[in-house]
Amino acid sequence: DNIEDKCPSDDRATDSGTIIAVSYEARSSGVKRNMSAKNAKALCPQLNVIQVPVTNKKSDIHLYREAGAEVV
C-alpha cells in the first residue's frame, strides 16, 4: 500500500470537503487549512486537490502516519 494507490484514479475535481494540508506555493495564493476545496481552487486554479482515503465515512490517514514515521 502507498498513498498513490489510494488516490482517485479518475481526473475528477474535488469540490467538497476541506483542505487539510497546503503547500507553500498554494499558501502564497491565499489557500489556507480548513478552507473549502472549492474556495481554494478559486484562489489557486492550478491547485491539485487529492482526496484523502476514506474508511467508514471518515478520513483514513494511517498511510500518512506511516509515511511520516519513516521520515522522522
Side-chain angles (χ1 to χ4, degrees), residues 8 12-16 18-19 36-38 40-41 44 46-52:
R12 68 180 176 232
T14 303
D15 289 334
S16 61
T18 58
I19 303 296
S36 74
K38 184 176 184 176
K41 291 284 279 184
C44 186
Q46 69 275 22
L47 184 69
N48 290 321
V49 178
I50 299 173
Q51 184 174 350
V52 174

Side-chain angles (χ1 to χ4, degrees), residues 1 6-7 33 35 40 44 47 54 58:
D1 275 342
K6 299 292 183 178
C7 292
R33 287 182 69 237
M35 177 179 281
C44 186
L47 184 69
V54 176
K58 296 184 88 175

Side-chain angles (χ1 to χ4, degrees), residues 1 4 8 12 15 18 20 22-24 29-31 37 39-41 53 60 62-68:
D1 275 342
E4 288 83 15
R12 68 180 176 232
D15 289 334
T18 58
I20 63 170
V22 184
S23 70
Y24 291 112
S29 294
V31 178
N39 289 342
K41 291 284 279 184
D60 182 1
H62 84 274
L63 289 172
Y64 299 93
R65 288 188 178 162
E66 290 173 4

